[in-house]
Amino acid sequence: MHISARGDYAVRASLGLASAYPAVVSAAGLADEQEMPRKFLEAVLGDLRRAGLVRGQRGVDGGYVLTRQPSEIMVGDVLRAVDGPLAEVRGVRPEEAMYSGTAEHLQQLWVAVRAAVRNVLDEVSLADVVRGRMPAHVRKLTAAPHAWQPR
């Protein structure tokens, strides 16, 4: 799986908003805290706002706030808001990828890969990450020695 810079920044900004929730946080404050380019971050926050995950507040005390409690927003929601579907094959969803011949069953593998990604990203909330308390099945995945090995 590839996490784009846009997706990484969106999750990091969302975590900053989650840790301050329900307070409003400025884009400049988020950019400084996470060492992100402010202009790029503002574009990412615009995507999150259009997706209904954050709300902007104008004025001297303006900034951004999550629209729901951090425990109700999953990391997968944030990634989809800025990058679209979690898994694609040549620009289409896995269930739409059709194959023939020896690759006939490949679609089943791609659907399983998407299900595995969803099993993590749609089960971990912003609050889980901020607190450092991942669900048991995610902790089990990271506890495996090979999980930390680059390949």
Side-chain angles (χ1 to χ4, degrees):
M1 175 174 186
H2 174 79
I3 306 293
S4 70
R6 191 173 203 87
D8 180 56
Y9 284 12
V11 172
R12 290 165 55 197
S14 297
L15 292 172
L17 294 173
S19 68
Y21 185 83
V24 175
V25 181
S26 71
L30 288 171
D32 289 345
E33 177 203 358
Q34 290 294 319
E35 299 177 357
M36 295 185 276
R38 184 173 168 194
K39 286 292 182 188
F40 188 60
L41 175 60
E42 287 174 351
V44 168
L45 288 166
D47 290 341
L48 296 174
R49 185 182 46 76
R50 283 185 287 284
L53 297 175
V54 303
R55 177 177 48 83
Q57 181 174 309
R58 296 182 186 266
V60 177
D61 295 326
Y64 294 87
V65 64
L66 296 176
T67 58
R68 300 188 313 263
Q69 294 196 26
S71 61
E72 297 174 2
I73 299 176
M74 301 300 142
V75 174
D77 298 330
V78 175
L79 290 173
R80 283 186 194 90
V82 297
D83 284 337
L86 295 177
E88 289 184 327
V89 179
R90 295 173 289 123
V92 300
R93 295 177 185 270
E95 70 274 9
E96 297 170 357
M98 301 306 248
Y99 301 94
S100 59
T102 56
E104 176 182 8
H105 303 289
L106 188 55
Q107 177 192 47
Q108 190 175 7
L109 176 65
W110 299 148
V111 169
V113 168
R114 179 182 60 191
V117 169
R118 284 178 175 171
N119 194 35
V120 174
L121 297 178
D122 288 342
E123 300 294 327
V124 177
S125 73
L126 296 177
D128 293 333
V129 179
V130 168
R131 289 189 310 245
R133 289 195 206 143
M134 303 295 168
H137 70 283
V138 174
R139 285 194 318 269
K140 183 177 178 183
L141 290 170
T142 61
H146 68 278
W148 298 91
Q149 297 297 318
R151 290 190 197 182

